[in-house]
Amino acid sequence: MNDVLRQWHPGLGPKLADFYRDLHRHPEVSLAEHRTAAKVAGALEPLGYQVTTGVGGTGVVGVLRNGDGPVVMLRADMDALPMQEKTGLPYASTDPAVMHACGHDMHTTCLLGAATLLDRAKDSWSGTVLIVFQPAEELSTGARAMVADGLFDRFGKPDIVLGQHVGPLPAGMVGYGSGPIMATSDDLHVTLFGRGGHGSRPETTVDPILMAAHIVTRLQGIVAREVHPSDTAVVTVGKLHAGTKDNIIPDTAELGINIRSYAEHVRVQIKAAIERIVRAEAAASGTEKEPLIEWHTSAPLLVSDPDRTAATVAAFTEHFGVENMFPMPVVTGSEDVGIYGEAAGVPTVFWFWGGIDRDRVLNALATNTVNSLPSNHSPEFAPLIEPTLRTGVETLTVAALTWLGAGG
Ligand code: ZN
Ligand code: ZN
């Protein structure tokens, strides 16, 4: 394995760093990853990969066949977020409305690095490497779109799916969990119907703002009072819209709610509790019209296969040293990577790796201020280029070699 990783030299690191800075400067939101996809395809083509673009929208697939053996899929996501960057980096986004705040530019660059190493080191493994650059992870729709566009029929079904996410851990460290590691995410949109009127004559109205306020408060009781204390769950009201003017009582109010859960029975329990509370508060307000409740896309529970994870983590530990391995608590974030394994009926192994200066994290730990470190989706999220890049290339390469066949 070390022979393969020595191929990092000469010069791959600086080349990838340039590629990363370019992606970071030019972020593209979900389903608009045209420039990014073209750059990725352009970099993959000169290697030995058979490259196909436009899979599931802007997705890019690379296939490297190298004799008999397992098919190992490596996946990265490419989309950025609709927000303004405030890192002050010299290579900050050139678009004031879009930022790579989740590190998907780092994921993309590391996958390209791993694809390069695996191509350079073809003597040391056998099988097929399936490289997947996915659009629209932030909408939880990209993985589904690629599968629906015939990903596995057209390019072959993998034996295992591998992926990773960069986060606010010390740079150079690898975080791992086993079994359910990231939450199921469900969104719902609620429209409340009241009766509008003049702000000075509330007796002629049914006020949907008061109705919404009671619902927001009451929803906080689901996790606090109804879910078992040993189960992890989150209910967040992320949107609340009503009204146009101080002295008008509007006739509708809208709520956007997101829930995260780790077990199907908890998910079912929370969904039922939200519907019960919304309907009951509407009834308590004396409204004549039932609220409209719409459930939207959800990301599935992400399960890192326990046996495959144990073997992959053992390979990481051998390569990086046990001092660089970090057992993770459950993450309440979500990922749509689980859709591939689910669709193909094969195991997924997923891990995290760090992008924040070690001393900064240690300092934050010492002063109990870890929550103030900029994490994913913060306008100040700025992974250190090194050693983050090299670590992310090596994790993917080590994991791929763990599951590919031995070379001849
Ligand atoms: Zn994200
Ligand atoms: Zn992400």
Side-chain angles (χ1 to χ4, degrees):
M1 200 167 288
N2 283 334
D3 285 349
V4 174
L5 291 161
R6 242 174 258 131
Q7 318 235 3
W8 173 264
H9 308 289
L12 180 59
K15 256 177 85 175
L16 289 176
D18 283 345
F19 192 89
Y20 170 74
R21 280 187 285 261
D22 178 72
L23 288 190
H24 195 83
R25 237 181 237 124
H26 303 283
E28 294 171 304
V29 293
S30 308
L31 303 174
E33 308 90 337
H34 301 288
R35 182 183 183 277
T36 310
K39 294 278 298 185
V40 164
L44 208 53
E45 252 148 25
L47 307 175
Y49 290 79
Q50 184 193 322
V51 179
T52 308
T53 57
V55 182
T58 48
V60 179
V61 177
V63 183
L64 184 59
R65 289 193 179 82
N66 188 31
D68 292 339
V71 180
V72 172
M73 172 172 154
L74 301 173
R75 171 272 202 182
D77 38 17
M78 303 188 287
D79 52 332
L81 287 157
M83 60 189 281
Q84 187 173 13
E85 176 158 356
K86 292 181 181 160
T87 60
L89 288 168
Y91 51 91
S93 171
T94 53
D95 185 335
V98 187
M99 175 192 178
H100 264 300
C102 204
H104 298 185
D105 47 351
M106 187 59 83
H107 303 172
T108 299
T109 309
C110 288
L111 182 50
L112 199 57
T116 308
L117 291 187
L118 290 166
D119 172 61
R120 285 186 189 174
K122 270 193 292 200
D123 291 350
S124 55
W125 59 272
S126 65
T128 298
V129 173
L130 177 64
I131 299 282
V132 173
F133 292 96
Q134 172 200 315
E137 192 285 324
E138 295 292 355
L139 301 179
S140 294
T141 58
R144 244 181 222 109
M146 290 193 82
V147 170
D149 201 8
L151 177 65
F152 301 135
D153 302 331
R154 292 162 66 189
F155 307 103
K157 208 172 92 163
D159 295 295
I160 189 165
V161 176
L162 305 172
Q164 59 180 359
H165 208 301
V166 70
L169 297 170
M173 287 189 81
V174 182
Y176 63 94
S178 181
I181 56 167
M182 291 183 87
T184 307
S185 173
D186 292 286
D187 288 307
L188 79 153
H189 188 261
V190 175
T191 310
L192 301 170
F193 302 100
R195 187 166 61 241
H198 201 285
S200 68
R201 297 197 60 205
E203 77 281 10
T204 66
T205 71
V206 174
D207 186 352
I209 292 183
L210 184 62
M211 205 189 299
H214 279 298
I215 289 171
V216 171
T217 312
R218 186 88 204 208
L219 290 176
Q220 310 308 315
I222 298 176
V223 174
R225 305 285 79 179
E226 297 187 35
V227 172
H228 192 283
S230 68
D231 284 320
T232 302
V234 181
V235 175
T236 290
V237 180
K239 277 196 301 196
L240 171 51
H241 294 300
T244 53
K245 193 171 183 295
D246 300 0
N247 64 354
I248 301 172
I249 293 171
D251 58 1
T252 62
E254 291 173 23
L255 297 170
I257 305 167
N258 179 259
I259 68 178
R260 306 288 169 125
S261 56
Y262 284 89
E264 189 57 24
H265 72 276
V266 178
R267 182 179 182 223
V268 169
Q269 182 191 10
I270 292 175
K271 288 173 84 163
I274 290 176
E275 296 215 11
R276 186 193 77 233
I277 288 167
V278 168
R279 291 188 201 290
E281 287 294 349
S285 300
T287 184
E288 287 129 30
K289 194 171 169 190
E290 277 278 301
L292 181 65
I293 300 175
E294 298 161 291
W295 290 95
H296 290 293
T297 37
S298 60
L301 186 67
L302 175 53
V303 177
S304 195
D305 180 84
D307 292 345
R308 271 45 162 231
T309 299
T312 309
V313 167
F316 287 163
T317 306
E318 196 191 326
H319 179 72
F320 294 105
V322 71
E323 68 280 9
N324 286 311
M325 298 303 295
F326 185 90
M328 298 279 290
V330 290
V331 176
T332 47
S334 301
E335 250 286 352
D336 71 357
V337 67
I339 285 166
Y340 299 106
E342 229 173 67
V346 301
T348 299
V349 177
F350 197 82
W351 61 89
F352 305 89
W353 90 108
I356 301 200
D357 181 67
R358 245 169 215 265
D359 289 345
R360 203 170 159 200
V361 181
L362 291 176
N363 218 340
L365 282 170
T367 54
N368 202 16
T369 53
V370 174
N371 287 339
S372 67
L373 293 173
S375 66
N376 308 70
H377 292 211
S378 155
E380 290 167 20
F381 184 67
L384 278 184
I385 294 184
E386 290 296 0
T388 310
L389 196 49
R390 181 171 183 153
T391 308
V393 171
E394 294 188 353
T395 42
L396 284 172
T397 310
V398 168
L401 291 171
T402 303
W403 299 105
L404 287 162

